[in-house]
Amino acid sequence: MKGAVLEDRGSPTRDRARALLVAATASATLMALIYLGSRRLEHYDAALFGYTVAGVIAFGVIIFRYVIWLHRPATRRYWLRGWQLFLDRKELRRSLQSIIGTAFGNLVAQRFILRRSRTRWLMHALIMWGCIISAAITFPLVFGWIHFELEGARSYRAYLFGFSTIAVDGRSTVGWMTFHALDFTAIMVIAGCAIAIHRRLHDRGAVSMQQFALDFAPHLLLIAISVSGLMLTASSLWLGGYMYSFISLTHQALVIMTLFYLPFGKFFHIVQRPASIGIELYQNRGGEMLQARCARCGTEFVSQAWLDDLEDVVRRLGFDYRLKNGHALQDYCPRCKRILRGLAYAALVQRSDRR
Ligand code: HEM
Ligand code: HEM
């Protein structure tokens, strides 16, 4: 693999202009899809205009931030390497195996969180799946991509982009579960956030590092959305619609705040994390490439391409880890790096003892 293939230095102004263009195109495409998917707004509910505006803007801002993030030296390098390896036709089967394995292990089953603790895994699974399922239900409804029509006395037929799909008996168990799906996801999200807040209030490591805006605001927003959603159900089921429009406005305001918070705070990891698939592909395939040997012990410890990329990224970021012997710190395996650090500390102590 030649580093030259990846050269595209860019400039901050050009990067921003490019990101703005991509973001504007993404928002415009979403608007066109809303128009077409709702059959020229025939199935679009004007009362949900606020959600739509927030969704379209937040989508554009997320794309903008994502593109800017991709322009950073390290992200750009590993992103392009991931695609380069994926597009290598000769190894397509093995690349697909690696991608499916990472997608299942890291994105779906989240085994790396399970390694930290079962409670943390449960916390994240409840929040993540609660939010994913809620979004999968609400966005298509808000954008008019899905709508229901009464069929006969008690059945509802679901329409996707205006095309007829399944009919659900409103009084059957499946019907009840379908129409109350958001209540289940609300309970999942509240439970997950409760576990997260409990950990943040009791775990000493977390207590020392956390900040309110970064570590508590996301949970509080999610809990507020879920509680206001449950209050909507309670209002319509048991209170004859008491305060329904006020609660509905509150739910909408909270959702809009969260959508605008998405690109800036903790939630941005939702779109950032899947990019790790490319990095894992590079690591997995790195084993077959020419290996770099440690400058001290001679052990093969990483692919030469990975090491060259790392040195180049570090240089571009303005760091210089070259040592007096002509090698860079990155040329040593992790074990020897620790030994070198230990020797450097010991030399310092000896020097100060001599004085
Ligand atoms: C809709 C999707 C997602 C939502 C709503 C979400 C939400 C959250 C929240 C609220 C936290 C903070 C928990 C805390 O207080 O400690 C968190 C942590 C985390 N998230 Fe996500 N997340 C999502 C998707 C993902 C994905 C796809 C990944 C990676 C593949 C991921 C990886 C992580 C990791 C590693 C942590 C730290 C967990 C820990 O403390 O052990 N998340 N997520
Ligand atoms: C954590 C995520 C969310 C949860 C747990 C949640 C929960 C709920 C619940 C329980 C309801 C009441 C359903 C009923 O009574 O049948 C509801 C209603 C609603 N939600 Fe959400 N929601 C979430 C996110 C969203 C998002 C992202 C949107 C917009 C894109 C949205 C738009 C709506 C709308 C339009 C209604 C109906 C409100 C009305 O009748 O005025 N929700 N939600």
Side-chain angles (χ1 to χ4, degrees), residues 291-308:
Q291 297 297 295
R293 285 184 183 278
C294 170
R296 186 171 175 273
C297 67
T299 318
E300 291 183 346
F301 68 105
V302 72
S303 71
Q304 189 62 49
W306 183 283
L307 189 65
D308 292 344

Side-chain angles (χ1 to χ4, degrees), residues 7-24:
E7 285 308 308
D8 175 16
R9 292 184 180 231
S11 75
T13 322
R14 213 179 66 193
D15 288 351
R16 266 199 298 277
R18 201 187 292 173
L20 205 60
L21 188 70
V22 177

Side-chain angles (χ1 to χ4, degrees), residues 67-214:
V67 175
I68 291 286
W69 178 66
L70 287 184
H71 280 124
R72 289 188 190 162
T75 336
R76 173 161 40 190
R77 176 56 52 101
Y78 295 114
W79 169 267
L80 291 173
R81 281 282 187 230
W83 279 107
Q84 202 176 40
L85 287 168
F86 177 64
L87 296 174
D88 177 2
R89 289 228 196 122
K90 279 180 258 154
E91 299 292 344
L92 193 62
R93 208 168 69 93
R94 278 201 295 152
S95 296
L96 278 174
Q97 271 171 354
S98 162
I99 288 170
I100 292 169
T102 311
F104 184 78
N106 284 1
L107 301 188
V108 181
Q110 309 222 308
R111 290 199 195 111
F112 63 103
I113 304 186
L114 191 59
R115 269 182 243 129
R116 295 177 192 174
S117 97
R118 278 191 205 169
T119 322
R120 279 168 91 157
W121 181 86
L122 180 69
M123 170 272 295
H124 196 264
L126 287 168
I127 299 179
M128 185 176 100
W129 290 111
C131 287
I132 289 180
I133 301 170
S134 305
I137 297 170
T138 50
F139 280 109
L141 283 171
V142 165
F143 294 159
W145 294 340
I146 291 182
H147 76 279
F148 291 90
E149 278 177 23
L150 190 62
E151 198 174 84
R154 44 190 263 182
S155 272
Y156 289 90
R157 183 164 291 280
Y159 288 82
L160 179 66
F161 302 121
F163 297 106
S164 166
T165 63
I166 49 163
V168 187
D169 183 342
R171 280 181 236 166
S172 67
T173 315
V174 176
W176 188 83
M177 303 257 296
T178 309
F179 292 114
H180 285 283
L182 282 174
D183 296 316
F184 295 118
T185 57
I187 292 166
M188 283 167 73
V189 172
I190 293 172
C193 289
I195 302 175
I197 290 178
H198 182 270
R199 187 180 81 82
R200 298 208 159 272
L201 292 178
H202 293 91
D203 182 298
R204 288 190 186 172
V207 170
S208 62
M209 302 285 288
Q210 65 209 2
Q211 295 164 19
F212 182 81
L214 200 69

Side-chain angles (χ1 to χ4, degrees), residues 16 25 118 125 170-171 210 220 254 325 348:
R16 266 199 298 277
T25 312
R118 278 191 205 169
R171 280 181 236 166
Q210 65 209 2
L220 296 180
L254 289 163
N325 62 11
L348 267 180

Side-chain angles (χ1 to χ4, degrees), residues 50-51 54-55 58 217-218 220-222 224-225 249-265 267:
Y51 287 110
L220 296 180
L221 278 170
L222 290 180
I225 291 179
L249 264 180
T250 310
H251 188 69
Q252 181 160 340
L254 289 163
V255 167
I256 292 174
M257 273 160 71
T258 311
L259 288 176
F260 286 155
Y261 175 78
L262 268 178
F264 304 105
F267 289 136

Side-chain angles (χ1 to χ4, degrees), residues 237-252:
L237 275 187
W238 303 306
L239 305 173
Y242 178 66
M243 301 265 279
Y244 192 93
S245 50
F246 175 74
I247 306 167
S248 163
L249 264 180
T250 310
H251 188 69
Q252 181 160 340

